[in-house]
Amino acid sequence: PTAEPTVEPTVKPTAEPTVQPVTHNFTVNGKTSDFFAITGSTTTSKGTVSYQGMSLTTCIKMETATNITFTTERASSLKMVFSNDCTRKIEVDGQVYAVKNGILEIELTAGAHSIKKADTNVNLYYIEVK
């Protein structure tokens, strides 16, 4: 008798896992977060920022004592929302970046990260890591 041919199973490539963005809204969450460690002062006296349908009224003042740290397991994108007309600078991982029209987007490597003051009069309303 002839043996049935063995059929190899088809192996589908493993898709990259879908990563949900981690966000922090200072208006909703204050300084409380399971992902970000946040040190600094928040205020509601710096105006309102509209972003993706949200009305952001509370920000963290980027002062000398302000520090926001977090760790990513993979390369990620960091987006920060500041006052609408902000064009000042912020420090991320020791590198100084210029904010453009109230938004800063940069790419991060996997690992530990920190956000600190570079210029005065910088107010951060919202953070997204994805």
Side-chain angles (χ1 to χ4, degrees):
T2 306
E4 290 292 318
T6 304
V7 178
E8 293 294 320
T10 302
V11 178
K12 294 182 180 179
T14 304
E16 283 291 315
T18 303
V19 179
Q20 292 295 326
V22 177
T23 63
H24 190 81
N25 178 335
F26 287 96
T27 302
V28 173
N29 306 112
K31 295 187 296 183
T32 304
S33 174
D34 292 332
F35 183 75
F36 299 98
I38 301 168
T39 304
S41 301
T42 58
T43 184
T44 57
S45 68
K46 300 297 181 181
T48 300
V49 171
S50 294
Y51 177 72
Q52 292 187 343
M54 295 178 283
S55 181
L56 306 172
T57 58
T58 302
C59 60
I60 189 161
K61 299 184 289 183
M62 298 305 296
E63 301 170 313
T64 303
T66 305
N67 192 24
I68 301 168
T69 59
F70 59 98
T71 301
T72 58
E73 294 180 6
R74 61 181 56 85
S76 304
S77 174
L78 170 66
K79 181 185 281 188
M80 294 179 284
V81 179
F82 301 89
S83 304
N84 291 328
D85 57 353
C86 182
T87 57
R88 295 183 177 269
K89 294 183 174 109
I90 194 82
E91 180 183 313
V92 179
D93 299 340
Q95 177 88 26
V96 176
Y97 296 92
V99 178
K100 292 185 178 68
N101 299 316
I103 304 280
L104 176 62
E105 291 185 78
I106 59 173
E107 297 302 313
L108 301 174
T109 58
H113 303 286
S114 69
I115 302 168
K116 296 181 181 181
K117 168 189 171 180
D119 274 344
T120 57
N121 297 318
V122 177
N123 302 296
L124 176 59
Y125 287 82
Y126 186 84
I127 309 170
E128 178 182 273
V129 175
K130 65 179 180 177

mmCIF file of all heavy atoms in Angstrom, residues 100-129:
data_model
loop_
_atom_site.group_PDB
_atom_site.id
_atom_site.type_symbol
_atom_site.label_atom_id
_atom_site.label_comp_id
_atom_site.label_asym_id
_atom_site.label_seq_id
_atom_site.Cartn_x
_atom_site.Cartn_y
_atom_site.Cartn_z
ATOM 1 N N LYS A 100 6.590 72.969 17.885
ATOM 2 C CA LYS A 100 6.071 73.716 16.727
ATOM 3 C C LYS A 100 4.559 73.792 16.829
ATOM 4 O O LYS A 100 3.884 72.761 16.851
ATOM 5 C CB LYS A 100 6.480 73.039 15.430
ATOM 6 C CG LYS A 100 7.971 73.122 15.161
ATOM 7 C CD LYS A 100 8.328 72.535 13.810
ATOM 8 C CE LYS A 100 9.787 72.656 13.503
ATOM 9 N NZ LYS A 100 10.665 71.864 14.314
ATOM 10 N N ASN A 101 4.024 75.020 16.904
ATOM 11 C CA ASN A 101 2.577 75.233 16.972
ATOM 12 C C ASN A 101 1.905 74.405 18.066
ATOM 13 O O ASN A 101 0.825 73.860 17.875
ATOM 14 C CB ASN A 101 1.917 74.953 15.620
ATOM 15 C CG ASN A 101 2.453 75.865 14.548
ATOM 16 O OD1 ASN A 101 2.615 77.064 14.772
ATOM 17 N ND2 ASN A 101 2.754 75.313 13.392
ATOM 18 N N GLY A 102 2.576 74.291 19.211
ATOM 19 C CA GLY A 102 1.991 73.613 20.355
ATOM 20 C C GLY A 102 2.112 72.103 20.366
ATOM 21 O O GLY A 102 1.617 71.453 21.280
ATOM 22 N N ILE A 103 2.780 71.506 19.371
ATOM 23 C CA ILE A 103 2.903 70.038 19.285
ATOM 24 C C ILE A 103 4.376 69.660 19.121
ATOM 25 O O ILE A 103 5.117 70.316 18.380
ATOM 26 C CB ILE A 103 2.120 69.474 18.070
ATOM 27 C CG1 ILE A 103 0.657 69.877 18.111
ATOM 28 C CG2 ILE A 103 2.293 67.957 17.960
ATOM 29 C CD1 ILE A 103 -0.214 69.063 19.014
ATOM 30 N N LEU A 104 4.762 68.585 19.800
ATOM 31 C CA LEU A 104 6.083 68.008 19.576
ATOM 32 C C LEU A 104 5.901 66.508 19.403
ATOM 33 O O LEU A 104 5.283 65.854 20.235
ATOM 34 C CB LEU A 104 7.029 68.278 20.756
ATOM 35 C CG LEU A 104 8.409 67.616 20.639
ATOM 36 C CD1 LEU A 104 9.176 68.138 19.430
ATOM 37 C CD2 LEU A 104 9.203 67.812 21.917
ATOM 38 N N GLU A 105 6.409 65.986 18.286
ATOM 39 C CA GLU A 105 6.381 64.551 18.016
ATOM 40 C C GLU A 105 7.795 64.087 17.754
ATOM 41 O O GLU A 105 8.486 64.657 16.905
ATOM 42 C CB GLU A 105 5.528 64.236 16.788
ATOM 43 C CG GLU A 105 4.056 64.466 16.979
ATOM 44 C CD GLU A 105 3.258 64.027 15.761
ATOM 45 O OE1 GLU A 105 3.051 62.806 15.610
ATOM 46 O OE2 GLU A 105 2.856 64.902 14.989
ATOM 47 N N ILE A 106 8.229 63.062 18.502
ATOM 48 C CA ILE A 106 9.560 62.502 18.289
ATOM 49 C C ILE A 106 9.490 60.985 18.398
ATOM 50 O O ILE A 106 8.563 60.435 18.983
ATOM 51 C CB ILE A 106 10.605 63.070 19.284
ATOM 52 C CG1 ILE A 106 10.193 62.777 20.723
ATOM 53 C CG2 ILE A 106 10.828 64.543 19.060
ATOM 54 C CD1 ILE A 106 11.261 63.155 21.735
ATOM 55 N N GLU A 107 10.490 60.326 17.839
ATOM 56 C CA GLU A 107 10.595 58.875 17.926
ATOM 57 C C GLU A 107 11.516 58.518 19.088
ATOM 58 O O GLU A 107 12.535 59.174 19.308
ATOM 59 C CB GLU A 107 11.154 58.301 16.616
ATOM 60 C CG GLU A 107 10.257 58.547 15.416
ATOM 61 C CD GLU A 107 8.860 57.974 15.587
ATOM 62 O OE1 GLU A 107 8.740 56.806 16.000
ATOM 63 O OE2 GLU A 107 7.887 58.705 15.330
ATOM 64 N N LEU A 108 11.145 57.471 19.821
ATOM 65 C CA LEU A 108 11.921 57.013 20.970
ATOM 66 C C LEU A 108 12.398 55.593 20.743
ATOM 67 O O LEU A 108 11.711 54.796 20.108
ATOM 68 C CB LEU A 108 11.043 57.022 22.232
ATOM 69 C CG LEU A 108 10.418 58.343 22.658
ATOM 70 C CD1 LEU A 108 9.474 58.109 23.832
ATOM 71 C CD2 LEU A 108 11.490 59.354 23.027
ATOM 72 N N THR A 109 13.548 55.268 21.300
ATOM 73 C CA THR A 109 14.004 53.889 21.321
ATOM 74 C C THR A 109 13.362 53.202 22.522
ATOM 75 O O THR A 109 12.785 53.866 23.393
ATOM 76 C CB THR A 109 15.541 53.829 21.456
ATOM 77 O OG1 THR A 109 15.908 54.509 22.655
ATOM 78 C CG2 THR A 109 16.230 54.479 20.263
ATOM 79 N N ALA A 110 13.461 51.893 22.597
ATOM 80 C CA ALA A 110 12.969 51.178 23.776
ATOM 81 C C ALA A 110 13.824 51.564 24.973
ATOM 82 O O ALA A 110 15.020 51.826 24.843
ATOM 83 C CB ALA A 110 13.046 49.674 23.531
ATOM 84 N N GLY A 111 13.191 51.622 26.154
ATOM 85 C CA GLY A 111 13.957 51.915 27.367
ATOM 86 C C GLY A 111 13.343 53.014 28.208
ATOM 87 O O GLY A 111 12.184 53.390 28.025
ATOM 88 N N ALA A 112 14.154 53.539 29.134
ATOM 89 C CA ALA A 112 13.707 54.571 30.071
ATOM 90 C C ALA A 112 13.809 55.953 29.424
ATOM 91 O O ALA A 112 14.757 56.231 28.684
ATOM 92 C CB ALA A 112 14.557 54.525 31.337
ATOM 93 N N HIS A 113 12.816 56.807 29.719
ATOM 94 C CA HIS A 113 12.746 58.139 29.121
ATOM 95 C C HIS A 113 12.393 59.185 30.164
ATOM 96 O O HIS A 113 11.732 58.872 31.164
ATOM 97 C CB HIS A 113 11.691 58.167 28.010
ATOM 98 C CG HIS A 113 11.951 57.146 26.956
ATOM 99 N ND1 HIS A 113 12.950 57.273 26.016
ATOM 100 C CD2 HIS A 113 11.377 55.940 26.727
ATOM 101 C CE1 HIS A 113 12.962 56.207 25.247
ATOM 102 N NE2 HIS A 113 12.015 55.383 25.653
ATOM 103 N N SER A 114 12.813 60.428 29.898
ATOM 104 C CA SER A 114 12.448 61.523 30.792
ATOM 105 C C SER A 114 12.139 62.773 29.989
ATOM 106 O O SER A 114 12.742 63.030 28.941
ATOM 107 C CB SER A 114 13.561 61.808 31.804
ATOM 108 O OG SER A 114 14.686 62.351 31.148
ATOM 109 N N ILE A 115 11.167 63.530 30.499
ATOM 110 C CA ILE A 115 10.766 64.811 29.899
ATOM 111 C C ILE A 115 11.031 65.874 30.953
ATOM 112 O O ILE A 115 10.558 65.759 32.090
ATOM 113 C CB ILE A 115 9.270 64.800 29.527
ATOM 114 C CG1 ILE A 115 8.961 63.662 28.565
ATOM 115 C CG2 ILE A 115 8.859 66.146 28.944
ATOM 116 C CD1 ILE A 115 7.469 63.404 28.376
ATOM 117 N N LYS A 116 11.792 66.917 30.567
ATOM 118 C CA LYS A 116 12.162 67.974 31.508
ATOM 119 C C LYS A 116 12.075 69.345 30.837
ATOM 120 O O LYS A 116 11.980 69.455 29.621
ATOM 121 C CB LYS A 116 13.594 67.767 32.008
ATOM 122 C CG LYS A 116 13.793 66.501 32.800
ATOM 123 C CD LYS A 116 15.217 66.387 33.266
ATOM 124 C CE LYS A 116 15.413 65.103 34.050
ATOM 125 N NZ LYS A 116 16.781 64.972 34.525
ATOM 126 N N LYS A 117 12.185 70.364 31.660
ATOM 127 C CA LYS A 117 12.179 71.755 31.199
ATOM 128 C C LYS A 117 13.448 72.062 30.404
ATOM 129 O O LYS A 117 14.537 71.652 30.780
ATOM 130 C CB LYS A 117 12.119 72.668 32.428
ATOM 131 C CG LYS A 117 12.384 74.118 32.122
ATOM 132 C CD LYS A 117 12.531 74.909 33.413
ATOM 133 C CE LYS A 117 13.024 76.312 33.099
ATOM 134 N NZ LYS A 117 13.172 77.111 34.290
ATOM 135 N N ALA A 118 13.290 72.805 29.310
ATOM 136 C CA ALA A 118 14.430 73.377 28.599
ATOM 137 C C ALA A 118 14.271 74.897 28.571
ATOM 138 O O ALA A 118 15.229 75.624 28.773
ATOM 139 C CB ALA A 118 14.551 72.817 27.192
ATOM 140 N N ASP A 119 13.061 75.397 28.301
ATOM 141 C CA ASP A 119 12.746 76.828 28.283
ATOM 142 C C ASP A 119 11.740 77.142 29.392
ATOM 143 O O ASP A 119 11.054 76.252 29.881
ATOM 144 C CB ASP A 119 12.075 77.222 26.950
ATOM 145 C CG ASP A 119 13.076 77.554 25.859
ATOM 146 O OD1 ASP A 119 14.262 77.771 26.164
ATOM 147 O OD2 ASP A 119 12.658 77.578 24.687
ATOM 148 N N THR A 120 11.628 78.438 29.703
ATOM 149 C CA THR A 120 10.600 78.867 30.647
ATOM 150 C C THR A 120 9.275 79.044 29.910
ATOM 151 O O THR A 120 9.230 79.078 28.677
ATOM 152 C CB THR A 120 10.975 80.215 31.292
ATOM 153 O OG1 THR A 120 11.180 81.176 30.261
ATOM 154 C CG2 THR A 120 12.240 80.088 32.131
ATOM 155 N N ASN A 121 8.196 79.145 30.676
ATOM 156 C CA ASN A 121 6.853 79.376 30.134
ATOM 157 C C ASN A 121 6.403 78.279 29.160
ATOM 158 O O ASN A 121 5.836 78.570 28.115
ATOM 159 C CB ASN A 121 6.750 80.747 29.463
ATOM 160 C CG ASN A 121 6.971 81.866 30.453
ATOM 161 O OD1 ASN A 121 6.477 81.810 31.570
ATOM 162 N ND2 ASN A 121 7.740 82.853 30.048
ATOM 163 N N VAL A 122 6.672 77.029 29.517
ATOM 164 C CA VAL A 122 6.221 75.893 28.725
ATOM 165 C C VAL A 122 5.230 75.108 29.578
ATOM 166 O O VAL A 122 5.533 74.740 30.716
ATOM 167 C CB VAL A 122 7.400 74.994 28.291
ATOM 168 C CG1 VAL A 122 6.901 73.777 27.533
ATOM 169 C CG2 VAL A 122 8.392 75.781 27.449
ATOM 170 N N ASN A 123 4.048 74.880 29.020
ATOM 171 C CA ASN A 123 2.981 74.202 29.746
ATOM 172 C C ASN A 123 2.487 73.008 28.940
ATOM 173 O O ASN A 123 2.061 73.156 27.803
ATOM 174 C CB ASN A 123 1.838 75.185 30.004
ATOM 175 C CG ASN A 123 2.326 76.381 30.795
ATOM 176 O OD1 ASN A 123 2.743 76.254 31.929
ATOM 177 N ND2 ASN A 123 2.300 77.552 30.168
ATOM 178 N N LEU A 124 2.545 71.826 29.548
ATOM 179 C CA LEU A 124 2.220 70.573 28.876
ATOM 180 C C LEU A 124 0.833 70.104 29.302
ATOM 181 O O LEU A 124 0.559 69.946 30.487
ATOM 182 C CB LEU A 124 3.282 69.523 29.247
ATOM 183 C CG LEU A 124 3.095 68.110 28.735
ATOM 184 C CD1 LEU A 124 3.041 68.070 27.209
ATOM 185 C CD2 LEU A 124 4.218 67.218 29.262
ATOM 186 N N TYR A 125 -0.054 69.870 28.320
ATOM 187 C CA TYR A 125 -1.437 69.495 28.581
ATOM 188 C C TYR A 125 -1.732 68.015 28.370
ATOM 189 O O TYR A 125 -2.619 67.472 29.001
ATOM 190 C CB TYR A 125 -2.369 70.294 27.651
ATOM 191 C CG TYR A 125 -2.506 71.741 28.021
ATOM 192 C CD1 TYR A 125 -1.549 72.670 27.636
ATOM 193 C CD2 TYR A 125 -3.600 72.184 28.751
ATOM 194 C CE1 TYR A 125 -1.679 74.004 27.991
ATOM 195 C CE2 TYR A 125 -3.742 73.526 29.098
ATOM 196 C CZ TYR A 125 -2.772 74.432 28.715
ATOM 197 O OH TYR A 125 -2.911 75.746 29.064
ATOM 198 N N TYR A 126 -1.012 67.365 27.457
ATOM 199 C CA TYR A 126 -1.402 66.022 27.036
ATOM 200 C C TYR A 126 -0.166 65.294 26.502
ATOM 201 O O TYR A 126 0.680 65.885 25.829
ATOM 202 C CB TYR A 126 -2.458 66.156 25.931
ATOM 203 C CG TYR A 126 -3.083 64.871 25.465
ATOM 204 C CD1 TYR A 126 -4.163 64.308 26.149
ATOM 205 C CD2 TYR A 126 -2.640 64.234 24.312
ATOM 206 C CE1 TYR A 126 -4.776 63.145 25.703
ATOM 207 C CE2 TYR A 126 -3.242 63.065 23.859
ATOM 208 C CZ TYR A 126 -4.311 62.530 24.566
ATOM 209 O OH TYR A 126 -4.915 61.388 24.135
ATOM 210 N N ILE A 127 -0.076 63.987 26.806
ATOM 211 C CA ILE A 127 1.031 63.145 26.328
ATOM 212 C C ILE A 127 0.461 61.875 25.716
ATOM 213 O O ILE A 127 -0.501 61.301 26.252
ATOM 214 C CB ILE A 127 1.964 62.725 27.486
ATOM 215 C CG1 ILE A 127 2.413 63.915 28.334
ATOM 216 C CG2 ILE A 127 3.181 61.956 26.954
ATOM 217 C CD1 ILE A 127 3.124 63.512 29.619
ATOM 218 N N GLU A 128 1.054 61.439 24.620
ATOM 219 C CA GLU A 128 0.664 60.172 24.002
ATOM 220 C C GLU A 128 1.932 59.412 23.608
ATOM 221 O O GLU A 128 2.831 59.965 22.992
ATOM 222 C CB GLU A 128 -0.184 60.431 22.755
ATOM 223 C CG GLU A 128 -0.581 59.160 22.026
ATOM 224 C CD GLU A 128 -1.375 59.453 20.770
ATOM 225 O OE1 GLU A 128 -2.608 59.585 20.887
ATOM 226 O OE2 GLU A 128 -0.747 59.572 19.695
ATOM 227 N N VAL A 129 1.976 58.136 23.990
ATOM 228 C CA VAL A 129 3.072 57.251 23.587
ATOM 229 C C VAL A 129 2.438 56.078 22.859
ATOM 230 O O VAL A 129 1.532 55.435 23.367
ATOM 231 C CB VAL A 129 3.872 56.744 24.816
ATOM 232 C CG1 VAL A 129 4.931 55.742 24.377
ATOM 233 C CG2 VAL A 129 4.500 57.906 25.562
#
